[in-house]
Amino acid sequence: NSRFLRIKNLMQLKNTVLTVPSKSVFFQLSELLESRLLKIGKMYMDKKLDGKINDIGASLAFRNKNEINADEIREFFNWPKNKKIVTIYTQNWADFPYSLGMKNFIDFKEWFDITKNIAIENDDILWLFKEHPVITLYKYDYQDTVKFMIDSLNIDHIKTAPYSWNNKSIMKATDYAITCNGSIGFELSSQGKSVLIADQAWYSDLGFGLVSKSQKDYVNNLKISWWN
């Protein structure tokens, strides 16, 4: 859905995403209106995950038809069957993190580096990094892509998902997910799976995922079975 805002002062850049309805408003609705909103939300989410909406990010994320399941992912990377797959949904470097209220990290790159470095040390988990789909619209140098940064590590338990894989099937295949503050936080939650959210997101107060209170809190969570 489109939002058009008239920027009158710089402080507005820190809060350009509106949450409607708010949590307090939603839980004061009548049961009839609440059920109608839930029905509309489910219809929208189903269309989004099938790549049938016009939102740029969603159409790029879900339009690929190359479906893949967990066993095929493990076979593709020669991964063992006895470890959990955790997918890290990275952000587009060109996005404006402070418009979402970011406070735990300087920018998306700092969050990525911290996550990557902890992943390097933890081979009890199979880490699948998923590049943000809109990167295909930007002319980034290859060395500035998540794919280059992860693949150049050449570490068995850390890999990147090919752009051609259908994201809905990746969501089904992954056990848990991590995002800085991306929409996967509520998309995957809607599928009944646990998501670790590293920083403030526009849906943070609505009960989706495990929201990190600080950078230290995020790092501590990464080192344990946070999904429990």
Side-chain angles (χ1 to χ4, degrees):
N1 55 332
S2 298
R3 298 182 179 93
F4 299 92
L5 301 176
R6 183 175 183 179
I7 303 298
K8 296 181 179 180
N9 59 74
L10 293 177
M11 292 304 295
Q12 284 182 267
L13 295 176
K14 292 188 175 182
N15 186 25
T16 60
V17 179
L18 307 178
T19 303
V20 180
S22 66
K23 184 177 181 180
S24 60
V25 170
F26 183 82
F27 287 105
Q28 292 178 8
L29 299 175
S30 67
E31 289 187 12
L32 177 61
L33 186 53
E34 182 178 320
S35 65
R36 286 178 177 175
L37 285 174
L38 288 170
K39 183 178 180 181
I40 292 171
K42 185 180 186 305
M43 290 173 59
Y44 172 81
M45 188 61 68
D46 289 343
K47 288 179 65 176
K48 182 174 187 177
L49 299 187
D50 286 335
K52 295 179 180 179
I53 65 173
N54 294 326
D55 174 84
I56 295 175
S59 62
L60 289 172
F62 299 104
R63 69 181 179 182
N64 292 330
K65 302 302 180 183
N66 297 325
E67 296 189 3
I68 192 162
N69 59 41
D71 289 338
E72 291 169 334
I73 291 176
R74 294 174 190 277
E75 183 178 354
F76 185 85
F77 294 121
N78 195 27
W79 276 348
K81 293 184 177 181
N82 62 335
K83 296 182 180 181
K84 301 291 186 182
I85 297 176
V86 175
T87 304
I88 300 90
Y89 285 81
T90 61
Q91 313 282 149
N92 173 29
W93 307 130
D95 275 346
F96 296 88
Y98 299 108
S99 68
L100 299 171
M102 175 182 273
K103 55 183 174 58
N104 296 344
F105 303 90
I106 296 172
D107 52 26
F108 293 133
K109 182 61 166 55
E110 183 186 34
W111 164 74
F112 168 80
D113 286 338
I114 289 172
T115 307
K116 176 196 67 177
N117 291 337
I118 292 177
I120 290 173
E121 300 299 325
N122 185 359
D123 61 0
D124 291 331
I125 290 175
L126 304 173
W127 303 83
L128 181 64
F129 280 77
K130 178 78 169 61
E131 193 127 41
H132 196 284
V134 300
I135 193 174
T136 57
L137 303 179
Y138 292 82
K139 296 181 180 179
Y140 290 119
D141 292 334
Y142 181 56
Q143 62 266 27
D144 294 327
T145 64
V146 169
K147 179 173 176 56
F148 173 82
M149 296 177 194
I150 295 299
D151 290 355
S152 62
L153 295 174
N154 194 27
I155 296 177
D156 289 341
H157 67 280
I158 307 174
K159 299 297 178 182
T160 56
Y163 296 125
S164 60
W165 285 358
N166 173 263
N167 191 32
K168 183 178 180 180
S169 64
I170 294 177
M171 291 170 65
K172 289 181 179 179
T174 193
D175 292 292
Y176 313 106
I178 297 170
T179 181
C180 187
N181 50 24
S183 60
I184 193 67
F186 63 85
E187 290 164 355
L188 202 62
S189 291
S190 75
Q191 308 304 301
K193 295 192 176 183
S194 299
V195 185
L196 176 61
I197 302 165
D199 211 314
Q200 183 74 19
W202 61 268
Y203 52 84
S204 293
D205 64 338
L206 298 179
F208 295 103
L210 177 62
V211 182
S212 302
K213 300 178 180 65
S214 64
Q215 185 179 127
K216 182 179 180 180
D217 182 43
Y218 174 69
V219 169
N220 289 340
N221 281 326
L222 274 186
K223 295 179 178 179
I224 62 174
S225 300
W226 53 266
W227 47 85
N228 291 328

